[in-house]
Structure formats: C-alpha cells, structure tokens
Amino acid sequence: QQQQQQQQNKLMLAAVEYGIGTGLGSDLPLPEKKIDQEKRKNQPQYLVLLRHGKTEHNRLGLFTGWEDVPLIDVGRAEARKAGQILKLHGIEFDVVYTSWLSRSIETAWLVLNEMDSMWLPIVKTWRLNERMYGALTGLSKSMVQERHGLERFNRWRLSYETRPPPVSPFSINYPGNDARYVENIKDIRYSFFESFIRSVSHGRLELHRKFPRTESLKDCMSRTIPFYTNTIIPKAIDKGKNVLITSSENAIRGLLMHLMDIPPDRIQDVQIPTGLPLVFNLEKRCIQLLDDGVERESPTALWEQYNFGTAPELLFKPCTADPDELTSNSNKNKKKKTTQKNNNKSNNKVSDKKNGSEEKDEDEDSCFAYSVGGRTFRHDPIIRLEQSPLFDPSPSNVHHFHDQHNPNHVDDDTTIYAKIQRFRSRNMAVNESISV
C-alpha cells in the first residue's frame, strides 16, 4: 500500500508539473490558459470532437477496444490535416481532453503541433477510452460476421445495450492485467470475485477492482458522460473555453448521443469517420464540418465524401426531418426563443399589422438551402472559410495550407487571391435562407 501511495503521489506530481490528468478527473490542479475575454466576446465557442486517425486495426478491419495500437502513416496524415484545417479557420483551443490510449494521445499531439499549441494542457482520462469489446478484441470483423451472422454482428458492434462476449480475466486483453490501469485507476469499486480468485491464485491477499470485461455502448456512456458533465462542462465549457476532445468512435458516439438526444434505437445508424474534426454547435446543438478550402464541383461533396452511417440526418438536421426526430433540447430552445420573440412583439403587434410587415419566426421557418444538389438542412452543415470569424485570408496562410497537401503545386499571390474571391462568391451563392 505504501508503494502504491508513493507511485500515485509521483503521478499526481507529474500531472501538476506537465498539465496532464491521471484519470482521477477533477481532482488535479491544471495550468490554465488565460483567456482574453474581450477578444473572445464576438467569437463563437468551439467544442470539437475528433476521432483518432487510422490504425493498423482499422485498416485490417479488426475489433480494437482497449487494445493499445498506434497510428499508421495514413492516420498520422489525417491528424496533421485536421490540425491544419483547424488552424486555417483560426480556431484556438484552451484545453484538450483525451483517453489513455496512445492512438488518441498521438492524434492530439499531431493536431496541436500543426496548430503551434503543443504547450496546451492535455487532460488524459481512462473514462474517454474506447468501448471494451471483450472477447472480440483483436478479432477480424469479417470473420465474426461470417461466424455469427450479420444481425448479431451489428448488435455487438453498433447497438446501444448489447454486450459482446466477455473477455477472460486471465486474458492479456483484460484491463485488470495491465499495470497502467491496475496501478493508477482509483475510481472503480473493488470486485469480491476477482479479489478472491487472485488472492487464492497468488497465495496472498489482493484487492482487485472491477475492471470492465465487456461493454455495451450504454456501459461506455456510463463513464464518459459523467466525466463530460462533472469535469469538462464546469471546468471548460461553462468558463467559455474552446475544447478539443480526441477519443475513439464509440466514446464520441456516446457523447453525441447525449449532446443531441439521439434515440437509443437510432444510434446504431450513426458512424464517425477517422481524423475528421466535428464541430458541435453549442447554440444550435448540431454538428458542422470545417471547409478545407478545396474547390469541388458540388457544395455537398465535402459532406458526402465521409461515412456517417445510414442516418446522417441525426447529426446534420435536415429540413425534411420529422419534428419528433429532432432533439428535445433543440425543440425546447426553439419554443423558448419563439415565446421570447412573441412577447417582445406583442406590444407592437397592432402597428406591425398596420404597416403590413409582421415579422416571421426565422427559427421556425428558416432553412439552409444548397444551390446545388437539392439538399436542405436546418443549419449549414459546413462552416465556410469566409464565414469563420478568425479566418486569415492572407496569401501566406492559404498558400501554406495548400502546400501541405499538394507540394508539387505552387500558386502565385494573384492565383491565391482569385481562389479566395471564388470562396466568397461560392458562399454568397449557398449561404441563403428560404422559407419551407
């Protein structure tokens, strides 16, 4: 016990010194970035969710879970591009939250390196780890699907409450056999069964915590959501900080399910692409993508090139969606805003009618319409470069971004400014509101 206490003290000292978390959540004092409130006054607050870049398990189609696999070159390139796009939009983070898995940590490092923000505090917590896939960890997804059928495979992989088969407590994939979890996690209760078995096996008394042997998405959310509500919200969101969360697919799916009130029976239709920054609009409670400045034939091409599952409308709210499918919070906010507007207009109602200029409720009837493709959304699913309040249209900034992705192509300043002008023209064409 004395050795464990000394080890914990060392970890806490390192956390305070280097600005990292040990999984204990809100107990650790972290160095805080001083926020210029005057500068941020007219700027939006950003909450960005980023799934780690591709790993070898992603490439081979293997269940990963808590297995700690590194990024491959493609995944590192995805993380660097994410950082470059965030920097291109002028977004500055104040704090970063990530898991204990190296693929998420490395993704955060690469993003911050591209943004010249490596010094930012990074809070690491096991509560943002990927869902524990149990006995499926390391197995081929195609093999599991062939052996057990598509229906059971999809329930194990994407459903809300179904757990995969549990891993053996003597398996190398069991977290209770990993020193990093055994020595450092203090916020899980002890397991009588595991403590008894290990005490008998080792011939001495051992207290063993109830580490997960398998998890459903619901189980995963039981640890990620309390960390978000009890730590991230009071320590960052409520203080007006810009937050980056780098984690794994199911941890992010659970967060989005909580943030957007996605029904449990629909969450299996949602998937998260690797290495793509998802900007959660705290006011409109929807997901938006960042325009990368690359010219495409259709304005919908950026959105359509990624796989968000069979129901992307759960993340990007369409105008044609049934109102019951929209998040309850969005409906409450809309009703609240409508009530406030009605109250404000009640005193001038008679004069408005006389003037024939009775105002319409934009929140109720307004939609974003693409000029190409025929798609309509309640909000623009893409944050356009020219609409980003911190976008720097200088040639050096745009030039540097495009050089990173096409080093063999060089534009002169005139060409770059022509591209910027086309950005402006394109945005004027697509950023229109129409009545549905």
Side-chain angles (χ1 to χ4, degrees), residues 170-202:
F170 300 102
S171 169
I172 192 175
N173 293 322
Y174 175 54
N177 296 323
D178 191 327
R180 88 184 86 176
Y181 300 115
V182 174
E183 296 174 2
N184 299 308
I185 291 183
K186 306 299 179 184
D187 50 353
I188 296 181
R189 68 181 180 86
Y190 289 105
S191 168
F192 174 79
F193 176 77
E194 291 294 336
S195 298
F196 176 76
I197 293 296
R198 290 173 186 267
S199 297
V200 172
S201 175
H202 297 158

Side-chain angles (χ1 to χ4, degrees), residues 271-309:
Q271 297 188 43
I272 308 299
T274 58
L276 178 67
L278 304 178
V279 181
F280 180 72
N281 191 310
L282 293 164
E283 180 183 353
K284 300 173 183 176
R285 301 186 68 81
C286 66
I287 290 296
Q288 292 178 290
L289 305 182
L290 294 173
D291 183 3
D292 58 7
V294 178
E295 295 186 67
R296 296 177 172 85
E297 294 182 359
S298 168
T300 62
L302 172 64
W303 179 77
E304 291 174 339
Q305 76 181 66
Y306 297 103
N307 178 21
F308 292 99

Side-chain angles (χ1 to χ4, degrees), residues 99-198:
S99 69
W100 279 11
L101 299 172
S102 60
R103 56 188 183 269
S104 297
I105 298 171
E106 187 178 2
T107 298
W109 285 347
L110 292 170
V111 168
L112 294 180
N113 184 54
E114 294 297 329
M115 301 178 69
D116 299 323
S117 300
M118 284 289 286
W119 61 274
L120 280 181
I122 301 179
V123 181
K124 302 171 187 173
T125 172
W126 72 272
R127 292 184 173 275
L128 290 177
N129 274 20
E130 172 64 297
R131 169 187 170 194
M132 175 60 183
Y133 272 114
L136 300 182
T137 302
L139 298 183
S140 167
K141 294 178 182 178
S142 58
M143 181 194 71
V144 172
Q145 179 178 335
E146 183 178 349
R147 285 185 179 179
H148 300 280
L150 180 61
E151 182 181 355
R152 180 175 293 184
F153 169 79
N154 284 333
R155 287 205 310 269
W156 281 344
R157 180 170 176 258
L158 298 172
S159 68
Y160 177 61
E161 292 186 321
T162 304
R163 295 171 178 167
V167 70
S168 167
F170 300 102
S171 169
I172 192 175
N173 293 322
Y174 175 54
N177 296 323
D178 191 327
R180 88 184 86 176
Y181 300 115
V182 174
E183 296 174 2
N184 299 308
I185 291 183
K186 306 299 179 184
D187 50 353
I188 296 181
R189 68 181 180 86
Y190 289 105
S191 168
F192 174 79
F193 176 77
E194 291 294 336
S195 298
F196 176 76
I197 293 296
R198 290 173 186 267

Side-chain angles (χ1 to χ4, degrees), residues 297-354:
E297 294 182 359
S298 168
T300 62
L302 172 64
W303 179 77
E304 291 174 339
Q305 76 181 66
Y306 297 103
N307 178 21
F308 292 99
T310 58
E313 65 272 10
L314 295 172
L315 302 178
F316 309 92
K317 303 301 182 186
C319 289
T320 55
D322 185 80
D324 294 336
E325 294 182 1
L326 300 177
T327 65
S328 59
N329 285 339
S330 297
N331 289 334
K332 290 178 182 177
N333 292 336
K334 185 173 72 174
K335 289 178 182 178
K336 183 178 179 182
K337 289 181 180 180
T338 304
T339 303
Q340 290 175 347
K341 288 184 178 181
N342 289 337
N343 291 337
N344 292 336
K345 292 186 291 185
S346 60
N347 295 332
N348 300 323
K349 189 174 182 181
V350 177
S351 59
D352 287 341
K353 285 185 176 179
K354 287 181 179 180

Side-chain angles (χ1 to χ4, degrees), residues 48-62:
V48 178
L49 306 176
L50 177 62
R51 183 187 176 190
H52 60 76
K54 277 189 174 63
T55 66
E56 189 69 13
H57 279 42
N58 295 139
R59 188 180 71 83
L60 296 175
L62 307 180

Side-chain angles (χ1 to χ4, degrees), residues 68-92:
D68 200 7
V69 294
L71 300 179
I72 57 177
D73 290 341
V74 173
R76 295 186 183 96
E78 288 177 334
R80 292 191 186 98
K81 182 178 178 180
Q84 292 161 7
I85 294 175
L86 289 163
K87 183 178 180 180
L88 188 66
H89 280 257
I91 296 175
E92 296 181 357

